[in-house]
Amino acid sequence: TNAFATVDQTWVWHHHTLTFTMMAGSGVVVRWGFLGTGRVTVKETRGVADSGGAVAAVGSRDVERARRWALANNCAAARAYGSYAEVVADEAVQVVYVALPTGLKCEWVVKAARAGKHVLCEKPVATCLRDMLAMIKACEENGVQFMDAVNFMHHERTARLLSTLAQPAFGTPLHCMSTTSFPATPEFLVGGDIRVGPETEPMGVLGDLGWYTARVSLITMGGTLLEPPATATAIAHRRAESGVPTDVSAVLEWADGRSAMFHCSFCGNRRTCAEVSSATQTVRVEAFINPGSTEPASLWLASPAQAVWTEANCRGVQQLGKAAYDQVASLARCLNNIVASGKLEKHWETQAVLTQCIVDACFESMQHGGARTAVPTV
């Protein structure tokens, strides 16, 4: 049985009704084209397959690399191309997954949209808000869906989290704390990964892992209308040899006193956690980014009498649910249903734009020694 099954998984968000349920397949096989063959594409390949879609094409700068990728990822029937342009031009492809370095994404999202393809864009979406808005404009003008690849937004535990925060018994959410980190290798930090390249990923860890912590701050503290924070303050504690930030802390502040703090790092032990508190309660989500498709995903609620956050000793702590759920397949299924129905869902692009606004403000703050910086409004 599904431990989260009793939750009301529907709420109003930017005047759209979102339903985080396991949607039935439409019976239509939606065909995907992948731009890029990096490691991040492997899980999305599985998600597409498990959702009932199909990877129809893959593009790389090297056609042999594309062929090897297709064979290694059980996509032998996919057409392998030696350029991204060929994938975008493939008439059979309905959705383009842009898994390229961030410095290249704007160009290819715009080209995919102009070719009439729906777009799933790997995060971080853009190097700056201007490019982000150019992508959205192209998608809107060509009547295609835009979505960023934040898989935890498609996990039913996220629905339970937001439903919990909306309950009168929880009270007004006042503060969110989130963190995500992993210990990168020395080779990674000296330029062995595109995430520390000033041209490929100028925001470094802020754009990569910080996209997740900015998003969870936004959805938990922004209320049902996703109100962005008024200001952001951020400091880079460490940087790669290239100057790209690798260890960042940030504070987000809303005009009415709500706040969020997050830490993201390529230099710390592997951990991921988010907590949201009101005046009387705290809800905690472990591994909020990627709980795994077969591992139980927990959600905990603490009363004022809470002592420790363990299953063995949980005085004052209530485990709201614990269930396995494949959020990667859920994301792909969501896009498949959008394509099959022809009904675009604007709230996904809204989330991405507001997340870009937050990370842009954090990046600007870092560039000015941690100065409090206004979050752009759009």
Side-chain angles (χ1 to χ4, degrees):
T1 59
N2 190 328
F4 294 130
T6 58
V7 68
D8 176 4
Q9 294 178 311
T10 305
W11 64 96
V12 176
W13 204 358
H14 266 284
H15 310 293
H16 292 268
T17 301
L18 306 187
T19 306
F20 280 64
T21 54
M22 181 69 83
M23 293 178 290
S26 64
V28 176
V29 177
V30 174
R31 298 177 299 277
W32 292 60
F34 279 37
L35 303 188
T37 56
R39 285 174 296 178
V40 71
T41 62
V42 174
K43 66 179 179 179
E44 298 300 340
T45 305
R46 174 184 57 77
V48 170
D50 291 349
S51 73
V55 178
V58 57
S60 170
R61 291 170 297 177
D62 180 345
V63 68
E64 288 304 320
R65 182 183 298 135
R67 287 173 180 150
R68 290 194 300 270
W69 181 94
L71 290 172
N73 289 282
N74 300 314
C75 300
R79 289 174 291 284
Y81 294 120
S83 71
Y84 308 136
E86 290 173 286
V87 176
V88 170
D90 190 321
E91 294 184 358
V93 170
Q94 298 166 283
V95 179
V96 169
Y97 171 42
V98 181
L100 301 174
T102 306
L104 300 177
K105 287 173 182 169
C106 182
E107 174 188 358
W108 289 102
V109 168
V110 170
K111 287 181 176 178
R114 288 175 176 168
K117 316 297 186 186
H118 301 276
V119 175
L120 176 67
C121 187
E122 189 54 56
K123 56 80 203 161
V125 170
T127 60
C128 63
L129 181 59
R130 181 186 60 201
D131 284 357
M132 169 92 242
L133 295 178
M135 299 181 198
I136 299 302
K137 183 173 184 287
C139 289
E140 290 182 343
E141 288 179 345
N142 291 278
V144 296
Q145 180 69 49
F146 179 89
M147 184 184 292
D148 61 347
V150 180
N151 290 301
F152 76 77
M153 292 302 305
H154 301 265
H155 197 297
E156 61 181 354
R157 180 177 61 173
T158 303
R160 181 62 188 256
L161 168 65
L162 297 180
S163 178
T164 299
L165 298 181
Q167 297 302 313
F170 187 84
T172 301
L174 299 176
H175 184 66
C176 174
M177 293 191 299
S178 59
T179 182
T180 179
S181 61
F182 68 84
T185 64
E187 293 76 19
F188 179 113
L189 296 173
V190 297
D193 192 282
I194 63 172
R195 287 171 283 184
V196 293
E199 294 184 357
T200 53
E201 183 44 76
M203 293 189 189
V205 71
L206 175 64
D208 184 45
L209 301 182
W211 193 268
Y212 295 126
T213 50
R215 177 63 62 81
V216 79
S217 300
L218 174 67
I219 65 170
T220 58
M221 301 308 301
T224 56
L225 294 180
L226 282 187
E227 178 192 356
T231 64
T233 306
I235 296 175
H237 307 291
R238 296 178 181 83
R239 294 181 181 268
E241 290 184 2
S242 64
V244 165
T246 58
D247 190 296
V248 171
S249 293
V251 176
L252 308 177
E253 297 174 279
W254 280 257
D256 63 358
R258 286 169 291 157
S259 62
M261 297 175 62
F262 69 76
H263 176 246
C264 50
S265 179
F266 292 150
C267 308
N269 187 41
R270 188 176 297 275
R271 62 197 179 106
T272 303
C273 180
E275 289 186 6
V276 183
S277 297
S278 68
T280 58
Q281 294 188 325
T282 299
V283 63
R284 178 174 177 175
V285 188
E286 294 286 354
F288 76 90
I289 294 173
N290 187 20
S293 60
T294 58
E295 300 170 11
S298 298
L299 187 68
W300 298 86
L301 181 68
S303 69
Q306 174 263 335
V308 291
W309 295 91
T310 67
E311 293 186 50
N313 180 4
C314 52
R315 183 175 73 248
V317 176
Q318 176 189 0
Q319 189 173 26
L320 298 180
K322 187 172 185 178
Y325 192 80
D326 191 340
Q327 60 185 17
V328 183
S330 180
L331 181 153
R333 189 175 297 108
C334 178
L335 255 177
N336 290 345
N337 280 309
I338 289 171
V339 174
S341 69
K343 297 178 181 178
L344 304 184
E345 298 184 3
K346 184 177 174 61
H347 57 84
W348 297 116
E349 68 179 46
T350 299
Q351 293 174 39
V353 169
L354 294 178
T355 304
Q356 185 76 50
C357 289
I358 293 172
V359 297
D360 270 27
C362 290
F363 190 64
E364 182 178 346
S365 175
M366 286 193 300
Q367 301 304 92
H368 293 87
R372 183 180 276 114
T373 301
V375 174
T377 57
V378 292

